[in-house]
Amino acid sequence: MKQRQLGPYTVSAIGLGCMNLSHAYGAPPAPEVGEALIHRALDLGVTMFDTAALYGFGTNELLVGKALKAHRSEITLCSKGGMAGVSFPDGVKRVINGRPEAIRQNCEDSLARLGTDVIDLYYLHRWDKQVPIEDSVGALSDLVRAGKIREIGLSEVSATTLRKAHAVHPIAAVQTEYSLWTRNPEIAVLKACEELGTTFVAFSPVARGFLCGDLRDVSTLAVNDIRRAMPRFAADTYAANLPLLDAYQAIAREAGCTPAQLGLAWLLHKDNKLIPIPGTQNIRHLEDNIAAADVVLSAEQMQRLEALINPQTVKGPRYNAVNASEVDTEEFA
């Protein structure tokens, strides 16, 4: 496995996003299936594993902690706080809370579930816009000094917010959605990361399955699949985007790779410092994703891909109005 830098850590060029082993994309697999997939990732050379307090309202951290316990010294463990499940009379709900006391409690809870004394990289999952970013990052820096976490990350923030945070404490990583069909990081945050020495981590690098090429009918998505609330996966909008796939798959055949590998290879070629973290519930797909590190694309193929799938050719925003209000990323006009 090729290697890249994640803050002070040398990690696999492709990490593993563990969310969908417990959360978000329909019914999760049985825990033993998720654990087997994580072990297979280790076999393939993956050394960066990404989870969060939110995923499965803690169950993902329990799964990841158990699966990686015997390998803790060999891997870089990443989790997130500031957005977690909170119990209400009518059930557990997602709550964004960036107050220092909430961040401290989230971290303690994550450490217990992960079965570790320290988290290598701990992100603020969402900036709570009711709390100055300096206050939230100040709480995270206290956790660094206390030895609870080693490095600080931010998720779904703008270049302006990143710079404000970095002035309080060095930010090792920014994690945001980035793929051929979600190019928002190119507006400003990628440049800010380069200037500050912050690693960019790309989640949903195969466009939440669109770039895999085999999701043709969104009516087949499970009722609890989060994509059902995303505008690009509305039936009419998705149908309008489907014609992009034919030319895209033709480039994949030309490059001698699968469609998913093409999307990952585009990212790896686009920036030799960023790290994509694809997720999957399927070991065959995992093996396919990791092999993308060896795909070679020409400059001409990169240009054709970017001309084909970009903010002008993709229909629909990535988030609905509620979810868009929760993030701080730059948006195209």
Side-chain angles (χ1 to χ4, degrees):
M1 169 65 77
K2 295 179 174 66
Q3 307 290 301
R4 293 193 171 186
Q5 285 300 121
L6 178 68
Y9 304 111
T10 301
V11 301
S12 51
I14 299 175
L16 180 65
C18 298
M19 179 181 77
N20 52 2
L21 296 176
S22 309
H23 185 87
Y25 292 98
E32 59 270 22
V33 174
E35 193 170 344
L37 187 141
I38 291 170
H39 289 160
R40 181 59 182 145
L42 285 166
D43 292 341
L44 294 168
V46 174
T47 58
M48 174 192 174
F49 294 83
D50 182 273
T51 182
L54 178 71
Y55 302 159
F57 300 134
T59 59
N60 194 247
E61 287 183 320
L62 288 168
L63 170 68
V64 170
K66 180 184 177 185
L68 295 175
K69 186 173 182 61
H71 308 275
R72 181 66 185 88
S73 63
E74 306 160 25
I75 59 101
T76 298
L77 181 61
C78 312
S79 193
K80 311 177 195 73
M83 182 165 68
V86 176
S87 295
F88 292 90
D90 56 345
V92 181
K93 298 180 181 179
R94 183 184 70 167
V95 172
I96 297 173
N97 189 342
R99 295 196 304 272
E101 62 271 23
I103 289 172
R104 286 192 293 268
Q105 188 60 58
N106 286 172
C107 183
E108 292 292 348
D109 294 343
S110 290
L111 286 166
R113 287 189 292 260
L114 290 164
T116 187
D117 294 329
V118 61
I119 298 168
D120 297 316
L121 173 61
Y122 193 64
Y123 293 91
L124 183 67
H125 203 157
R126 289 290 186 273
W127 172 37
D128 180 352
K129 297 174 185 178
Q130 304 305 309
V131 179
I133 189 64
E134 292 88 348
D135 292 359
S136 296
V137 174
L140 291 168
S141 68
D142 289 342
L143 291 171
V144 173
R145 285 188 288 272
K148 304 287 186 179
I149 66 177
R150 293 194 172 107
E151 300 293 333
I152 297 173
L154 302 175
S155 179
E156 294 273 38
V157 297
S158 65
T160 297
T161 301
L162 169 59
R163 289 192 172 96
K164 289 179 180 179
H166 195 80
V168 176
H169 189 281
I171 303 300
V174 166
Q175 179 178 136
T176 296
E177 182 175 357
Y178 188 30
S179 69
L180 271 166
W181 90 336
T182 297
R183 306 279 281 278
N184 304 59
E186 296 174 7
I187 299 172
V189 81
L190 285 174
K191 185 174 186 295
C193 284
E194 183 177 4
E195 291 173 358
L196 298 173
T198 299
T199 301
F200 187 88
V201 176
F203 75 76
S204 298
V206 291
R208 300 186 187 273
F210 177 76
L211 294 178
C212 298
D214 49 10
L215 177 61
R216 294 282 174 167
D217 182 2
V218 291
S219 70
T220 62
L221 295 175
V223 294
N224 59 341
D225 191 308
I226 60 170
R227 290 173 291 185
R228 284 191 171 272
M230 293 179 174
R232 289 180 186 170
F233 289 88
D236 290 350
T237 311
Y238 198 78
N241 285 321
L242 273 178
L244 298 171
L245 281 179
D246 291 337
Y248 175 79
Q249 290 177 308
I251 298 174
R253 290 191 293 271
E254 176 187 304
C257 65
T258 67
Q261 288 173 338
L262 183 63
L264 290 166
W266 175 81
L267 275 170
L268 293 169
H269 283 67
K270 186 72 175 173
D271 186 330
N272 62 12
K273 294 179 181 177
L274 71 74
I275 301 170
I277 50 167
T280 182
Q281 300 178 359
N282 183 293
I283 285 181
R284 183 176 62 81
H285 292 166
L286 168 71
E287 294 167 344
D288 186 70
N289 290 341
I290 300 309
D294 295 321
V295 173
V296 177
L297 300 178
S298 68
E300 187 267 343
Q301 288 168 328
M302 291 286 289
Q303 291 169 358
R304 283 161 54 201
L305 285 168
E306 294 180 20
L308 176 66
I309 304 178
N310 60 60
Q312 286 70 49
T313 63
V314 173
K315 310 300 181 187
R318 68 183 182 116
Y319 283 143
N320 60 33
V322 172
N323 294 138
S325 71
E326 295 174 344
V327 301
D328 177 50
T329 50
E330 291 87 358
E331 298 293 329
F332 289 101

